[in-house]
Amino acid sequence: MSRILDAVAERARCHASDVALSDAKRRVSNDTLHGLIDATAAQVAALCPGHGPVALCADNSLAWVVVDLAFIRLRRVLVPIPPFFTEAQRQHVLKQTGASTLIGDYADKTHGSHETLNVLGEELRVYNVVGGPAALPPLTAKITFTSGTTGQPKGVCLSQAELEEVCLSLVDAIGVDYAGVHFAALPLAVLLENVAGLYTTLLAGGRYHVLHQADIGFGKSFVPDFAALVAAIAACEATSVIVVPEILRGMLQVLAARRISLPRMKLAAVGGARVSRALLSAAEALGLPVYQGYGLSEAGSVVTLNTPTSNRPGSVGKVLFHAPLRIEADGEIVLKTPAFLGYVGDTRKRDAYPTGDIGRIDKDGFLYIEGRKSNVLITTFGRNVSPEWVESELLSQPQIGQALVFGESKPALGALIVPSSARVNDAELARAVENANAALPEYAQIKHWTKVFPFTPANRQLTVNGRLRRAVIHEAYSDLMARCFEKPGQHVTFFERLAAATEEERNYLMATPQIRDGLAGRISLSTYRQYLAEAYYHVRHTVPLLKRVGECLPAGKEWLRKATEEYIAEESGHEEWVLDDIRDAGGNAEAVRNGQPRAATELMVAYAYDYVNRVNPAGFFGMVFVLEGTSTQLATKGAEALMQSLRLPENCFRYLTSHGTLDISHMQFFQALMNRIDDPRDQADIIHMAKRMFVLFADVFRSIPHDMAVQDAA
C-alpha cells in the first residue's frame, strides 16, 4: 500500500475539510481528494485497458495531480512526459516505454481519435497508442525521462516504495512544521517537483497549490515573466517552493527591483545545477530563505539538502537517510544503494551508482559539488581543471549571468559569458572577470573571453533544470571559441562591432514617436492598422530580396548562400500573417494587398534592392540586423501593450507576437552567421547598410499618421 495514499485517507478521516489541493479558483479538501482518487482510478481503468505503461503529457493542473495519484491507486506504470519535450522526443518516449495509452491536454494528430477523461471539470484526451514490447524492471511504478546533455532522453525506472522513501527522508530532515502551502513552480512531469513537491507536501499534511505554467509567467519559453511568478507565489501565501538557479535569479531581480518580499516563505529549495555564492548572498540580503540541495533521477530526485535547522551556504547539505553515498579516490560521488530499478531496456539492478559528479564531504557531513568528472579540462601544462569550479567564481560576480569555461588542450582557459542584464557594459564585464580571476590560481584563470546570447532550454543549450548542455554549446560556438584564443582578453566579435557602430542610428529609430507611444499602448486602432499595411508592403519583399542575395553572392560564399535559403524557409508566407492581422483587427486586407506603400516604405525597399544589385549582396544582412533586432526588442512588448489599450484579442497580433519570439532564436543564428564573416569589405558594407536601414525604417514609422487617442478601439 502507498504511504502517500494512506496519509490522504487518514486526513480525509481526521481533517476532512482541510484543503489538500488548490489552484487560482478552486480548493480541494482532503475528503474530496480521497474520493476523487478512487473515481479517477475507475475512469482510467475503463479508458486505459490492459496493463501497459500509460504516458501523461499535460500542463500543470489539479487534474495532473489527481491522475498521478490515481495511477498509484491502480498500481499502474505512469510515464510523465515534460511539456517542453519536442514532438520527436515524445514519440521516442512512447516507443521506448511501449506505452499503450497517451493522456494529454493537447490535440495529438499522430494518434487520431480520442476518448475524454474528466477530472474536476478539466478534460484530458486519451489516445490509444500502438506500443511495442518494452523491458521494464519488476515493481516499476514510474518512468522518468532525463533531458540529458545530448541525444535522446533516457528512461529511469522507479518503484513507488523508493519514491516514498525519498519523501519520508525529506519530511524527517525538514520537519512537518514546514508543511504549509507549497507552490508548484516547476513542471510536475519533472521528478523533483513530482516527488519533493507534491508527494512530500501530501505526506506532511500541507496544501499543494498548482497553476498552469502560463499563469505563473512560463507561457513563453523565450521570455519568462518572473514578476508574474512572484505575484502568483505571493497571492497564495506560499510557504515553500522548489526552483532551479535561473528561476531563483529571476525572482531575486523582481524582489530587488520592486522592493517587495515574500514574508510567508519559509523554504525555497534550489537545485538542478550549481548555485553561485553571489546568488545565495543576494537571496539572504533580500530575506528569502533559500536552501540548496542536490539530487538526480537515479536517486528518486533528492540526495542531500540544506535545511533551516542545518544549513551551510556553498554546500548542498547533508546526506538524507535514504541515499547513503561514498566519495571515491578520484572525487567521484557514488550512491551505495541507488533508488532506481534500472533503465528502460536495461533491467539490471545496480548495487552502487557512480554519479559522474565530483564532490567532497567536510568534517561536519556537508557535501560540496565541485564539477562533473566527464567535464574536466586538461590544459597543455597538464593541469586538470573542473570548468564548474571556474564557472562558479565567474557567476559569483553580479555582472555575469551565465558562463561556460573551455580550454581543453590549450595553454589557458577561455569563457563564453552572458551578461546578467543588457545594462552591463564591456568594461564592467572585464572587471568582473578580473575579480573572479583574483580568487583562482593562475592555471585556472580566464585569459580569453567573449560575450554570447543566453543559454536557454529553447535553444537546447540549457536543460530545464538549469544545467549547461556543453556539447550543444561547443558545437554552436566552436568557431568563436577558436577565435577567442587568437589574443588574450575580450574577443570582440563582428556582431558586437556591428551593434556598436550603429548605436546612433538605432537610437534615432527608438526615438520615433510612433514606436515610443506604441510600446506604451498609446496609439489608435487606425494607426495600428496603418502600421500593419506598411509592414505588409515591406515584408512581402523579404523572400524576393533573399532570393536575389543568393543569386548575386560570388563563388566561395556557399555557406552564406545556404544561410539565405534557411531564412527563405523561415520567412515564407509571413506577409499573409500581416493580412490576417489586418482582417481580424477590422481592416480591409484585400485593399492593402492591392494598394501602394507610402513613399518612405517604397524608398526603403528600393534601397535594399539597389544595394544588393549595385554594391554588395552581403550588405543585405545589415537590413536583417535592423528588422530582426527591432522585432526582438519591440514586438512582444508592443503587442501586449496594444492588446490591453485597444482591447483586441491575441489573434490580431500574430505577426508581432510570432516575430517577438521567433526573432530571438533568429538573432542567435544571425550572430553566429555574422561572426563567420571575416572579409573587411563585407563587414564594412553590412555596417553601412544597417546604418542606412535604421534611418529608413524609422522614416517608415514616422510617415504613418499618428493619433495617440484610442477611442476607436474595438
Side-chain angles (χ1 to χ4, degrees):
M1 190 62 182
S2 163
R3 281 169 285 196
I4 293 169
L5 295 185
D6 286 347
V8 171
E10 177 65 20
R11 287 186 175 81
R13 286 191 296 270
C14 302
H15 305 281
S17 61
D18 287 359
V19 179
L21 308 174
S22 61
D23 62 13
K25 298 179 180 178
R26 297 169 294 183
R27 295 191 171 202
V28 179
S29 68
N30 287 317
D31 184 50
T32 301
L33 175 59
H34 185 247
L36 271 172
I37 294 170
D38 289 340
T40 304
Q43 279 194 78
V44 169
L47 293 170
C48 308
H51 303 285
V54 174
L56 174 60
C57 185
D59 194 1
N60 281 8
S61 68
L62 293 176
W64 201 108
V65 171
V66 175
V67 169
D68 183 41
L69 297 173
F71 271 82
I72 299 177
R73 171 74 77 219
L74 292 169
R75 299 184 183 181
R76 185 88 178 264
V77 179
L78 185 66
V79 187
I81 302 179
F84 52 81
F85 269 23
T86 65
E87 177 60 26
Q89 287 177 318
R90 285 199 294 267
Q91 295 306 320
H92 168 78
V93 168
L94 294 174
K95 182 178 179 181
Q96 190 179 31
T97 60
S100 60
T101 310
L102 168 66
I103 300 174
D105 60 358
Y106 64 99
D108 191 307
K109 297 179 181 179
T110 305
H111 300 105
S113 61
H114 67 275
E115 302 285 347
T116 300
L117 173 64
N118 193 300
V119 184
L120 283 169
E122 297 182 48
E123 292 188 349
L124 297 174
R125 302 174 186 226
V126 181
Y127 298 92
N128 287 325
V129 178
V130 182
L136 303 179
L139 301 179
T140 297
K142 182 157 289 181
I143 305 174
T144 185
F145 276 78
T146 60
S147 55
T149 54
T150 59
Q152 292 285 14
K154 197 171 186 179
V156 178
C157 300
L158 299 154
S159 74
Q160 190 61 32
E162 288 165 332
L163 293 176
E164 293 183 2
E165 280 293 319
V166 178
C167 303
L168 289 169
S169 192
L170 285 167
V171 172
D172 178 71
I174 300 170
V176 294
D177 292 342
Y178 287 84
V181 179
H182 180 84
F183 182 90
L186 302 178
L188 270 160
V190 172
L191 191 68
L192 179 61
E193 182 60 45
N194 192 184
V195 174
L198 173 61
Y199 291 171
T200 302
T201 298
L202 293 177
L203 195 62
R207 168 159 66 98
Y208 191 77
H209 188 77
V210 58
L211 304 172
H212 292 307
Q213 289 277 285
D215 294 334
I216 64 172
F218 298 135
K220 298 174 183 176
S221 56
F222 282 107
V223 279
D225 185 349
F226 294 116
L229 173 64
V230 170
I233 292 173
C236 72
E237 299 186 330
T239 59
S240 66
V241 67
I242 300 171
V243 295
V244 295
E246 282 305 301
I247 294 179
L248 175 61
R249 184 186 301 277
M251 289 174 59
L252 293 177
Q253 288 174 347
V254 171
L255 293 173
R258 302 194 176 188
R259 297 182 181 180
I260 57 177
S261 62
L262 297 171
R264 299 280 186 175
M265 186 61 62
K266 294 181 178 180
L267 191 153
V270 59
R274 191 161 188 150
V275 185
S276 72
R277 290 179 298 179
L279 207 56
L280 294 172
S281 297
E284 183 179 10
L286 291 170
L288 191 67
V290 172
Y291 300 95
Q292 189 177 0
Y294 163 74
L296 57 161
S297 298
E298 288 82 357
S301 73
V302 187
V303 173
T304 69
L305 180 67
N306 280 297
T307 68
T309 57
S310 181
N311 182 36
R312 184 156 294 175
S315 79
V316 292
K318 290 185 176 180
V319 180
L320 301 177
F321 73 72
H322 75 279
L325 56 81
R326 66 174 183 266
I327 307 294
E328 298 285 52
D330 62 358
E332 184 174 13
I333 301 168
V334 175
L335 299 179
K336 293 181 180 178
T337 54
F340 81 122
L341 303 171
Y343 296 109
V344 174
D346 179 4
T347 60
R348 293 173 297 164
K349 175 69 175 175
R350 275 76 168 172
D351 294 327
Y353 179 77
T355 65
D357 292 316
I358 297 173
R360 62 180 175 85
I361 296 178
D362 68 15
K363 61 183 179 61
D364 297 317
F366 288 90
L367 178 67
Y368 294 78
I369 305 298
E370 299 183 330
R372 289 286 293 170
K373 185 176 180 180
S374 60
N375 294 336
V376 170
L377 302 171
I378 304 177
T379 70
T380 52
F381 290 102
R383 292 286 192 172
N384 290 10
V385 182
S386 170
E388 293 92 345
W389 165 40
V390 183
E391 288 158 4
S392 69
E393 292 298 335
L394 291 169
L395 294 174
S396 69
Q397 305 301 314
Q399 298 83 5
I400 298 177
Q402 293 175 308
L404 178 134
V405 170
F406 57 93
E408 175 69 21
S409 301
K410 297 290 184 181
L413 300 181
L416 302 179
I417 292 177
V418 177
S420 57
S421 82
R423 295 184 297 275
V424 176
N425 60 40
D426 287 1
E428 291 170 327
L429 275 184
R431 284 194 294 272
V433 172
E434 290 176 5
N435 291 338
N437 281 339
L440 293 164
E442 178 71 20
Y443 68 87
Q445 291 179 2
I446 298 299
K447 302 296 185 183
H448 313 268
W449 62 276
T450 189
K451 293 189 299 186
V452 294
F453 276 107
F455 311 127
T456 70
N459 61 23
R460 295 190 63 252
Q461 293 172 359
L462 199 71
T463 65
V464 70
N465 57 8
R467 290 191 180 96
L468 297 173
R469 292 181 181 269
R470 294 180 187 274
V472 175
I473 297 170
H474 275 262
E475 181 179 1
Y477 290 108
S478 58
D479 290 340
L480 182 57
M481 290 176 176
R483 292 188 180 188
C484 277
F485 286 111
E486 291 174 358
K487 62 180 182 179
Q490 180 184 9
H491 173 70
V492 179
T493 65
F494 172 58
F495 178 85
E496 293 176 79
R497 285 176 48 212
L498 173 60
T502 57
E503 183 177 5
E504 181 179 347
E505 290 79 7
R506 183 167 53 253
N507 290 338
Y508 175 76
L509 171 67
M510 297 302 293
T512 302
Q514 287 86 339
I515 291 179
R516 186 183 62 240
D517 293 331
L519 288 173
R522 297 195 303 264
I523 64 172
S524 68
L525 179 57
S526 174
T527 299
Y528 175 56
R529 287 176 184 153
Q530 291 185 71
Y531 155 73
L532 289 174
E534 297 311 308
Y536 171 76
Y537 293 130
H538 73 76
V539 170
R540 70 180 178 182
H541 288 280
T542 302
V543 170
L545 275 165
L546 285 164
K547 288 180 178 178
R548 187 61 183 150
V549 170
E551 293 166 357
C552 294
L553 283 170
K557 293 184 179 176
E558 296 302 321
W559 61 276
L560 202 52
R561 185 174 292 107
K562 182 179 178 182
T564 66
E565 293 170 358
E566 292 187 38
Y567 272 116
I568 289 169
E570 286 282 355
E571 297 295 331
S572 294
H574 287 196
E575 69 275 10
E576 294 299 324
W577 295 2
V578 183
L579 293 178
D580 287 342
D581 286 348
I582 293 172
R583 192 176 296 111
D584 291 338
N588 189 333
E590 292 310 307
V592 171
R593 187 195 298 273
N594 298 314
Q596 294 294 322
R598 296 178 185 278
T601 308
E602 193 168 13
L603 285 171
M604 182 179 79
V605 172
Y607 181 79
Y609 278 109
D610 178 70
Y611 205 86
V612 169
N613 290 315
R614 179 178 57 85
V615 183
N616 183 355
F620 177 74
F621 289 98
M623 183 176 186
V624 175
F625 174 68
V626 172
L627 297 182
E628 291 197 348
T630 303
S631 293
T632 301
Q633 288 181 286
L634 308 179
T636 300
K637 183 179 179 182
E640 290 174 350
L642 292 176
M643 276 183 215
Q644 295 182 11
S645 65
L646 298 180
R647 299 191 295 279
L648 290 173
E650 190 171 355
N651 63 314
C652 296
F653 298 90
R654 183 184 179 193
Y655 172 70
L656 280 177
T657 55
S658 62
H659 278 67
T661 299
L662 282 175
D663 286 344
I664 294 175
S665 59
H666 285 185
M667 283 302 288
Q668 293 178 309
F669 174 78
F670 180 79
Q671 180 195 40
L673 191 67
M674 292 300 95
N675 289 341
R676 288 187 64 183
I677 292 178
D678 51 14
D679 184 319
R681 184 198 166 193
D682 286 347
Q683 292 180 347
D685 289 343
I686 289 170
I687 291 173
H688 180 83
M689 178 68 144
K691 291 166 80 72
R692 293 290 184 265
M693 274 296 157
F694 271 121
V695 175
L696 289 168
F697 197 34
D699 290 344
V700 169
F701 280 95
R702 290 167 190 258
S703 73
I704 298 170
H706 179 30
D707 179 4
M708 292 174 60
V710 296
Q711 68 270 17
D712 59 348

